[in-house]
């Protein structure tokens, strides 16, 4: 390819650009807020984010040495017992191979952006994409406005390209652009979850020397007013700080009041209680409301233009309580790489790419949807066989609290290293049944 264009310079867009640099002479990233990123494009950037171990592995694949750079800048890498998971206040068995990177999203994105933009054939332009340009059945470029211009039509400029990537997030206008040019927009699945979460940072000392990550969640199918400890997470991040997030559904969403936030922390598991009691709050508490999970089903379209790829939240945005978003972005980049390495022409519709990515997105969606549907206020849609899937998954979760072998398999799915179908294999279900019967 001569030129590839990426619309959006957030996490997913930067990784797509890194992949495209191996296949195009020039890669142009359009980002209205320039090299410093945009809180407008991702208003939840300041919330605590998790980079699951599969996402961590993919990042190091595309940006070798990134972990070392992050650790040198103050990030923390948790291994084995340094990463603790609790269910209803009970500590789960240690998984020695489990890893988790502790860093804020802003810090992580800053390092990713610096590394990606250092690639010689990648450049960033401060501009906002406004529409696609078509040549028959292929996208051949975009129309855009400079970041300093208004949205008046007389200031629209054009940029041609052999491949265009939509990485504009949940608010992407791609669907309306396709309709305007005579194409169908992708059908969308929605699941309303009404999740609220709040993140606060605390000064970190030696109060928890052996902890990098502590995550607490309610037990299987338990309501948020019935579980034994508050759901939340604690992560050691750069700058000698603890980042703490508390979550709640429906009318139980956390707010910005410091005393109320600390009170919720004191109803959580021991590491989070200890930070509430011993550490000083640093700055304001930031809240975010996530109304619904969304998934665009591109593989259900009967036709799609060539020269067009979609990545990141523009494809799927699932409940952030499960920490899948950043890892999905890394897997979208790897799906794009596999598609291009297969010899696929950018002039043809990227069905192979959408099938590859669809398998990953569907797996993440199934994990989050199965858990969300256990909440009393979430009303569907229910997938086929949901009751059986829910019953089996609850039994596996219960057994994972007791048995290290079951927990290892369960955490491999949570960290997106294995497909959720791994939890329905007869051998694992039988072991879970034996564990629970002995209990």
């Amino acid at each position: 390819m001569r030129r590839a264009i990426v619309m959006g310079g957030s996490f997913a867009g930067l990784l797509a650009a890194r992949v495209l640099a191996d296949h195009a002479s020039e890669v142009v990233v359009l980002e209205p807020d320039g090299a410093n990123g945009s809180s407008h494009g991702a208003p939840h950037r300041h919330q605590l984010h998790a980079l699951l171990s599969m996402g961590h592995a993919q990042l190091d694949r595309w940006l070798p040495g990134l972990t070392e750079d992050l650790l040198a800048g103050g990030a923390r890498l948790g291994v084995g017992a340094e990463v603790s998971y609790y269910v209803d206040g009970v500590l789960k068995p240690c998984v020695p191979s489990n890893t988790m990177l502790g860093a804020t999203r802003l810090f992580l994105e800053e390092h990713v952006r610096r590394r990606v933009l250092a690639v010689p054939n990648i450049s960033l332009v401060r501009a906002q994409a406004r529409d696609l340009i078509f040549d028959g059945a292929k996208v051949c470029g975009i129309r855009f406005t400079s970041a300093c211009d208004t949205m008046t039509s007389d200031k629209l400029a054009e940029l041609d390209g052999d491949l265009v990537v939509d990485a504009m997030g949940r608010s992407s206008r791609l669907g309306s652009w396709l309709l305007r040019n005579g194409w169908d927009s992708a059908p969308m699945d929605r699941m309303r979850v009404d999740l609220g979460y709040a993140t606060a940072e605390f000064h970190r000392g030696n109060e928890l020397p052996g902890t990098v990550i502590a995550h607490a969640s309610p037990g299987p199918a338990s309501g948020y007013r019935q579980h034994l400890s508050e759901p939340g997470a604690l992560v050691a991040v750069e700058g000698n700080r603890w980042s703490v997030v508390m979550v709640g559904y429906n009318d139980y969403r956390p707010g910005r009041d410091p005393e109320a936030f600390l009170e919720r922390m004191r109803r959580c598991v021991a590491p989070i209680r200890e930070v509430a009691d011993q550490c000083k709050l640093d700055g304001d508490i930031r809240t975010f409301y996530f109304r619904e999970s969304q998934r665009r089903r591109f593989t259900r379209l009967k036709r799609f233009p060539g020269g067009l790829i979609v990545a990141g939240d523009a494809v799927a945005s699932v409940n952030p309580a499960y920490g899948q978003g950043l890892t999905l972005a890394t897997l979208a980049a790897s799906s794009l790489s596999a598609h291009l390495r297969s010899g696929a022409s950018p002039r043809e519709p990227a069905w192979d790419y959408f099938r590859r990515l669809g398998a990953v997105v569907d797996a993440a969606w199934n994990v989050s949807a199965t858990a969300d549907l256990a909440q009393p206020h979430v009303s569907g849609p229910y997938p086929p066989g949901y009751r059986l899937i829910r019953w089996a998954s609850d039994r596996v979760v219960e057994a994972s609290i007791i048995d290290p072998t079951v927990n290892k398999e369960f955490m491999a799915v949570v960290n997106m290293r294995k497909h959720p179908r791994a939890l329905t294999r007869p051998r694992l279900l039988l072991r879970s049944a034996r564990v629970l019967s002995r209990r």
Side-chain angles (χ1 to χ4, degrees), residues 76 81-84 204 208-214 234 236 242 271:
R76 295 286 306 279
E82 293 178 317
V83 184
S84 304
R204 175 163 54 90
L208 296 170
T211 300
V212 175
I213 313 284
L234 166 77
W242 292 110

Side-chain angles (χ1 to χ4, degrees), residues 259-274:
E259 288 304 318
F261 190 89
L262 289 170
E263 194 59 36
R264 289 179 84 127
M265 288 178 64
R266 293 187 178 104
R267 294 196 299 268
C268 203
V269 295
I272 298 179
R273 293 200 306 267
E274 193 160 346

Side-chain angles (χ1 to χ4, degrees), residues 1 3-8 16-17 20 24 26-28 30 129-134 138-143 159-168 172 174 177-178 304-311 336 339-340 346-348 350 353-354:
M1 290 181 283
R3 178 187 292 143
I5 303 169
V6 180
M7 302 182 295
L20 289 167
E26 178 187 7
V27 180
V28 179
L30 270 68
R130 300 298 181 190
D131 201 356
L132 301 174
I133 302 173
F134 286 82
K138 179 186 181 300
V139 174
C140 62
I142 64 166
R143 294 184 177 90
L159 181 66
D160 64 290
D162 299 305
L163 186 65
V164 174
V165 177
D166 172 16
M168 295 184 291
S172 169
L174 180 66
W177 296 351
L178 289 171
F304 194 76
L308 182 61
I309 293 288
V310 190
L336 176 58
H339 172 68
L340 295 174
R347 298 191 62 84
E348 299 298 323
Y353 163 78
F354 286 117

Side-chain angles (χ1 to χ4, degrees), residues 69-221:
D69 292 346
L70 293 167
L71 296 180
R76 295 286 306 279
L77 181 63
V79 180
E82 293 178 317
V83 184
S84 304
Y85 286 89
Y86 297 79
V87 174
D88 260 348
V90 180
L91 179 63
K92 300 185 73 176
C94 171
V95 179
S97 60
N98 197 24
T99 64
M100 188 74 77
L101 187 67
T104 64
R105 173 165 175 167
L106 291 174
F107 181 78
L108 178 61
E109 267 192 3
E110 176 189 346
H111 280 74
V112 170
R113 183 176 292 108
R114 184 185 308 139
R115 289 285 301 273
V116 169
L117 296 182
V119 177
N121 59 333
I122 299 178
S123 61
L124 186 141
V125 176
R126 288 199 62 203
Q128 176 70 59
R130 300 298 181 190
D131 201 356
L132 301 174
I133 302 173
F134 286 82
D135 179 10
K138 179 186 181 300
V139 174
C140 62
I142 64 166
R143 294 184 177 90
F144 68 95
T145 54
S146 167
C148 301
D149 292 336
T150 61
M151 293 179 59
T152 55
S153 58
D154 59 333
K155 291 188 177 181
L156 283 175
E158 295 185 354
L159 181 66
D160 64 290
D162 299 305
L163 186 65
V164 174
V165 177
D166 172 16
M168 295 184 291
R170 282 174 65 98
S171 58
S172 169
R173 298 293 305 280
L174 180 66
S176 61
W177 296 351
L178 289 171
L179 289 171
R180 182 190 306 163
N181 288 279
W183 298 84
D184 293 330
S185 61
M188 182 186 290
D189 294 336
R190 301 174 186 268
M191 177 173 288
R192 184 159 183 171
V193 296
D194 286 325
L195 172 77
Y197 53 108
T199 296
E201 293 185 345
F202 295 80
H203 293 285
R204 175 163 54 90
N206 296 319
E207 55 281 335
L208 296 170
T211 300
V212 175
I213 313 284
H215 180 271
S217 63

Side-chain angles (χ1 to χ4, degrees), residues 384-398:
Y386 166 75
R387 291 186 183 278
L388 180 60
I389 294 170
R390 178 75 244 178
W391 180 87
S393 64
D394 280 352
R395 303 294 81 74
V396 172
V397 171
E398 290 177 15

Side-chain angles (χ1 to χ4, degrees), residues 219-272:
S222 64
Y224 267 23
R225 296 190 185 279
Q226 302 168 343
H227 57 123
L228 302 179
S229 68
E230 291 277 356
L234 166 77
V235 179
V237 298
E238 74 281 357
N240 291 319
R241 292 170 294 163
W242 292 110
S243 183
V244 179
V245 64
M246 303 303 294
V247 302
Y249 287 93
N250 210 8
D251 60 350
Y252 195 56
R253 300 194 294 267
R256 293 188 176 93
D257 178 65
E259 288 304 318
F261 190 89
L262 289 170
E263 194 59 36
R264 289 179 84 127
M265 288 178 64
R266 293 187 178 104
R267 294 196 299 268
C268 203
V269 295
I272 298 179

Side-chain angles (χ1 to χ4, degrees), residues 23 37 51 54 75 127 139 164 215 220 234 364 403 436:
H23 301 271
L51 182 64
M54 174 55 88
V139 174
V164 174
H215 180 271
L234 166 77
D403 185 74
L436 295 177

